[in-house]
Each structure stands twice: as C-alpha cells, then as structure tokens.
Amino acid sequence: MDLDARQAAAVEIAEEAGALAHDYFGRRGELKVEQKGLQDLVSQADREVEALIRRRLTERFPEDAVLGEEAGGARDDRALWIIDPIDGTTNFLRGLPHWSVVLGFMAAGKAELCVMKAPVLAELYVARHGHGAFCNSARISVSQVAKLEEAVVAFGSNKKTPHGPYLKALESLLDRGAEYRRLASASMSLAAVASGKLEGYHEAKLAPWDAVAGMLLVREAGGRTNDYFANDGLKKGNTVMVANQALYETLAAAFECA
Ligand code: LIP
C-alpha cells in the first residue's frame, strides 16, 4: 500500500476539485438545485466535482474502492477512498465560506489519510496517521483551553436526528459559561478543532464522508475523538464527538456520549 503516492495524489486532486468547485461557487446563482430531503440540497456542482474526483482516483488507483456522498459505492474498508465533493452544500449555495472538498483514505479498516481543501478560505488541510496534521504546510494542533468558561464549541444538527438532546446539551454548556458556533460543515468544524480555533465539536449522527477524514485530522493534531467505527459506523453512520484533551470528558458527558 503506497501511502506516499496516495497522499500526493489526494493533494493534487483536492486542489483541482477545489478549483472546479470554487468556479461553480462564483456562479452559484445559475446552478440547478435539487432537494434530497428536508434542508438537504444537492446541485450540479456537487455531482460534477464528485465525478472529477472519482475519475482521477480511478485513473491512478484502479484497485481502490470509492465511497462518495452523491454516487455512493461499496463500504469495503480494505482500501477505500471516502469523499465528499462539497461538505457544507447549504453554505456553498448561500455564498457562505465554510465548505470544503474532502478526501479520506482507509486501509485495512483504519483511517490513514485526510486531505480537505477549503477554496474560499484558501486552506488545505492534510493529515496522515502517525505523521501529524497540517494547514497549508504548517503544523496545527488543538487548543490547550481547559475551562468551559473559556471554551467555544461547535455544534451540528440535521433533520435526521431529534433536536431534544442537542438543545439540552446546548443549554447546559451555555449555563456553565461556554460559547458555541454552528459552522454547518462537519469537515470545517473538525478542521477548526484541529487548528485550535474551537475546543470541541459534536454532531449526533454523521455519514462517513463528513466524519472519517476530519476525525483523523483532529487526532493527528493531538485531539481526542470517539470511536466512529464502533457499532458498524462505516456502514450506518455514527456520532461524532471530538475535543482537545482537556475538555473531551466534560463535553462528551454534556452530549451524553462519554
Ligand atoms: C452536511 C454537514 C453538516 C451537517 C449536515 C450535512 P453536506 O454535509 O457537513 O455539518 O450538519 O448533516 O451532512 O450535506 O453539506 O455535505
């Protein structure tokens, strides 16, 4: 398994796919938008960027499997690319900057690579298992903040999970002095925790293309994550809970996923 070659290819492909997505972003008013579900949109940009990534991966690594948000694919984790052409589609379609092109790679059941390109912010995040986490080639790390009164935490919610537990956790954390943000892009929330801009992030249920790559980025930046692959997470989706070391237990308890 040549991870050097896969990392180099993923960076090149993320740059090319990011440029295509950014071009669509500049003329997003012309895009045909379809509704996949309640508050769940897809456009020609998502489909064409995914098709480009799939083409490039298949040209270089025909033996690898590919799982993507828009076109699906096998969830065979022996050598699997997990891709989201535009994570944060609603932000993208509304002209907000937090969205990214995500490529993750798993081998023998383990997350090995994360490459995420956020074109509007001009940020390229890269992590490899055991090699650290980087943004635009500079090493990144999670924050050292240890008190809730100094913490800013990202929340995510979607229409597939109940809002009750989310509101309860939000109220409890706000009561105890924490602040919160909703970036509306899982990958960008994970990148914000990995770079120490936010202390933690929780979303009750996320698909693997939203979760797997960015969770590796957080671990490689020194943060702590739950076991996304537990209970058949790769196939069924799972909770995402990540934080810096100091606040993980406190935040996980507030979200009742300790
Ligand atoms: C979205 C996430 C967002 C989450 C939504 C959705 P998409 O991904 O990144 O944070 O709340 O459920 O999955 O659909 O924009 O790629």
Side-chain angles (χ1 to χ4, degrees), residues 132-192:
F134 298 84
C135 176
N136 295 345
S137 303
R139 194 175 265 273
I140 53 173
S141 55
V142 296
S143 84
Q144 299 295 321
V145 169
K147 293 182 186 158
L148 272 185
E149 307 91 284
E150 293 168 14
V152 183
V153 179
F155 284 67
S157 68
N158 55 58
K159 299 292 181 220
K160 293 174 198 120
T161 47
H163 289 112
Y166 166 87
L167 293 172
K168 198 172 132 209
L170 180 57
E171 187 174 23
S172 141
L173 290 172
L174 287 174
D175 281 349
R176 290 147 76 199
E179 248 306 336
Y180 75 100
R181 294 291 181 273
R182 161 78 164 132
L183 298 187
S185 159
S187 58
M188 296 312 294
S189 305
L190 291 162

Side-chain angles (χ1 to χ4, degrees), residues 6 9-11 13-14 17 36 45-58 61 64-75 79-89 100-106 113-117 187 207-214 234:
R6 283 175 175 78
V11 167
I13 296 168
K36 291 194 283 189
D46 302 79
R47 294 216 165 94
E48 292 199 6
V49 175
E50 181 162 324
L52 171 71
I53 299 172
R54 281 175 181 274
R55 260 197 325 276
R56 295 286 183 256
L57 287 173
T58 312
F61 309 106
D64 294 355
V66 182
L67 170 68
E69 173 166 16
E70 309 307 338
R75 301 191 186 209
L80 176 67
W81 291 94
I82 305 180
I83 62 174
D84 192 340
I86 298 175
D87 175 53
T89 299
S100 82
V101 174
V102 180
L103 283 89
F105 180 71
M106 290 181 71
L113 293 173
C114 159
V115 176
M116 308 196 308
K117 175 74 187 186
S187 58
W209 42 82
D210 295 318
V212 172
L234 181 63

